Amino acid sequence: MNAIQARFATLLSHNASSEAPPPLLTPPLASRLLERLDGLRLFAHGYPLLTNLTQGRVKPEDMLDFAYRHELQGLSLHLLDGEENSLSQMAPTQLQAFADKASTLGLDVHLEISSTRREDVDQVVAIARAIGTRNIRVYSRYEGHLSRVMALIEADLQYLSQLADQHDLYFDFEQHEELKSFEIAQLLRQIGNPRLNALFDFGNMINACEQPLPALQALAPYIRQVHLKGVRIVPEQNGFGHYGVLHGSLEDDLPGARMLFELLMLGEQAPQVIAFILEQENHYIAPSFRQSDEAEDPFIPYREMSETGLPPGYTADRMMADEHRWANNQIRHVRGLLTELRVLAELILAEAGQTRA
């Protein structure tokens, strides 16, 4: 193995299982990788600045400025981010002003809700239509035995399917800690609507007692959006919880570079993932939901919407200041990974005496 291949293998092997060795970076793969890097779309997310949004220090329209300032392609925002200043509380004139600003800055806006219930979906669809967006992230929060939860979600997804066709929308179901990736893929396969797909979160499979790369492969045919973040894996009982850490830090247990590469390469003719969303979640705490020794039809407990409390010793002011630093840190880290992938691909083509088509 020459130096370039060794460098590529080292990058993609970090925190990855030896059972999934990285591919050889051949000239055809390098050319395809460069094409995918050229078309990659990075989005800001409200969660990295959640305390700022909750305290009113940052408003949804300020998140558009953040995305523009960092030369990102869009913003993914939860309907409730910003409390009384959130999109959910805006009058029609305010929503129009938000949409106009996004258009002026050349930014796409994707919406998110933490529910699949009809009343919540109806609200987000109305706001999506008001601001002219077509992409909505959802996830379910039902309690009960898995079989009942799956039946409830399937019924909800049937309703989402109707709305998607009616209003030219796309819904992406996130694997959000309680369902395994193959279970979500099974639901989406049963619905069979190309407008209903998945959002892959870098760390949420941990709480469902899954490993990152097998979870990615199980959900791969449906992944349209991605939440990028760093996670420390925490053993709990007979499962695992996770603790949010700085993406790419020494505490980050995830095979982040390998997942990024695999997600970039999804799609035969065109990129399958339309948005790589920067969701730094430093200090977020998520308990285990699934266990290695669970029953055939395990009980799924109810979970609240995600939130990050103040870490010990933190004031709200310090948290708000640090959130900006951490958000910037993630942008630097991800762009560093993307640059390294680009350099390696270009070196492989140069070594083979080839240039890009």
Side-chain angles (χ1 to χ4, degrees), residues 148-325:
R148 175 180 179 272
V149 168
M150 293 279 281
L152 289 170
I153 296 171
E154 184 176 2
D156 287 351
L157 294 182
Q158 292 285 4
Y159 180 62
L160 266 63
S161 180
Q162 296 170 24
L163 291 178
D165 289 337
Q166 181 180 351
H167 299 298
D168 189 21
L169 299 171
Y170 292 87
F171 290 96
D172 294 321
F173 190 99
E174 181 177 357
Q175 94 300 12
H176 210 277
E177 304 172 2
E178 74 276 48
L179 293 186
K180 293 181 181 289
S181 299
F182 79 88
E183 293 162 351
I184 296 170
Q186 175 185 325
L187 286 167
L188 294 171
R189 190 162 49 248
Q190 288 169 191
I191 299 299
N193 188 331
R195 292 180 177 276
L196 266 63
N197 289 283
L199 185 150
F200 180 80
D201 182 278
F202 261 33
N204 286 348
M205 80 294 290
I206 299 300
N207 309 70
C209 211
E210 292 183 297
Q211 292 298 310
L213 291 173
L216 191 160
Q217 291 304 316
L219 205 54
Y222 301 99
I223 299 172
R224 285 184 76 246
Q225 299 192 67
V226 176
H227 280 169
L228 305 166
K229 66 185 186 186
V231 158
R232 188 173 78 231
I233 300 172
V234 183
E236 293 180 0
Q237 301 171 4
N238 293 309
F240 300 90
H242 81 251
Y243 190 92
V245 298
L246 295 180
H247 189 184
S249 68
L250 293 177
E251 293 183 290
D252 187 356
D253 291 326
L254 300 178
R258 180 63 179 276
M259 287 194 289
L260 182 59
F261 171 80
E262 297 289 346
L263 291 160
L264 269 170
M265 304 309 288
L266 288 180
E268 289 301 319
Q269 303 303 321
Q272 183 174 308
V273 177
I274 66 167
F276 288 84
I277 304 166
L278 298 158
E279 198 192 29
Q280 187 86 285
E281 289 188 346
N282 204 25
H283 296 295
Y284 171 68
I285 300 174
S288 64
F289 272 82
R290 304 291 289 272
Q291 309 294 317
S292 60
D293 59 348
E294 67 186 14
E296 183 176 338
D297 191 16
F299 184 82
I300 307 297
Y302 179 78
R303 70 181 307 280
E304 299 291 346
M305 287 189 292
S306 301
E307 61 179 27
T308 298
L310 292 178
Y314 268 71
T315 63
D317 283 342
R318 180 185 171 189
M319 188 71 170
M320 286 187 284
D322 281 354
E323 281 182 344
H324 283 281
R325 294 177 65 239

